[in-house]
Amino acid sequence: MNLDVLSTPGHLIALAARGFARLSEARLKPLGFGVGQIPVLVALQNGQASTQRDLARFARVEQPPMAQMLARMERDGLVQRTPDPTDGRSQRVVMTEVAKTRMPTAVTALFQGNREALSGFTEAETADFVSLLSRLIANLDRLASDDGSSAIEPRP
């Protein structure tokens, strides 16, 4: 059996991810955000993380890239870092008012981009697609942890 590698789910998902990233970047750039910053801002906004380590885990990236991203976000006035009062080695990260003010517009732009990208899909198809992708991601997470790989889960 000869499989066409360009029609495998992995390749097609990678193409779709790049397409979504380009679309999202184009819509977020005028607001002063990058697509990789959105998980960080969502985690901060929802109180799901407040340290660099927790943010890296939440966003599923390694610590060094998270440190670089936070430095850029701090430079751009999107986050502020302060010493953690309970742990002198750690810093707390909070969203600035600038980021809080821009987030609703960014979320609206992202949802609009998703609606446009899924044009022609029914609501049921969209829900099924999201469900299937969520299951796929769970499988990939499980495989990464079974391998001891850090490809998806950051190293401590």
Side-chain angles (χ1 to χ4, degrees):
M1 183 168 155
N2 185 8
L3 286 180
D4 181 2
V5 72
L6 300 181
S7 61
T8 61
H11 180 72
L12 294 173
I13 290 167
L15 288 176
R18 285 195 297 269
F20 271 112
R22 282 191 308 271
L23 177 65
S24 298
E25 285 291 344
R27 291 168 186 246
L28 293 173
K29 189 174 182 177
L31 300 170
F33 294 136
V35 72
Q37 297 171 341
I38 297 301
V40 171
L41 294 168
V42 167
L44 292 172
Q45 189 173 42
N46 296 341
Q48 294 173 287
S50 65
T51 65
Q52 177 180 309
R53 181 183 191 143
D54 292 341
L55 289 166
R57 192 170 287 129
F58 182 86
R60 296 180 174 176
V61 298
E62 299 283 340
Q63 289 257 12
M66 180 56 66
Q68 292 171 346
M69 183 185 314
L70 290 174
R72 284 190 304 275
M73 291 175 77
E74 190 170 35
R75 177 201 68 205
D76 295 342
L78 301 175
V79 299
Q80 185 176 15
R81 292 187 273 192
T82 58
D84 185 333
T86 60
D87 179 0
R89 300 168 297 158
S90 186
Q91 291 185 325
R92 293 279 171 198
V93 182
V94 296
M95 286 176 69
T96 63
E97 288 304 316
V98 169
K100 288 177 186 175
T101 301
R102 293 180 192 166
M103 271 299 281
T105 305
V107 169
T108 299
L110 291 173
F111 279 129
Q112 180 63 32
N114 275 270
R115 278 191 300 277
E116 291 171 12
L118 294 170
S119 174
F121 286 64
T122 66
E123 284 186 36
E125 287 172 329
T126 299
D128 286 345
F129 186 53
V130 169
S131 176
L132 291 168
L133 287 173
S134 297
R135 286 175 39 203
L136 175 65
I137 291 165
N139 286 347
L140 292 168
D141 285 348
R142 183 181 38 74
L143 289 169
S145 65
D146 289 350
D147 288 356
S149 167
S150 63
I152 296 176
E153 187 66 29
R155 292 182 205 133

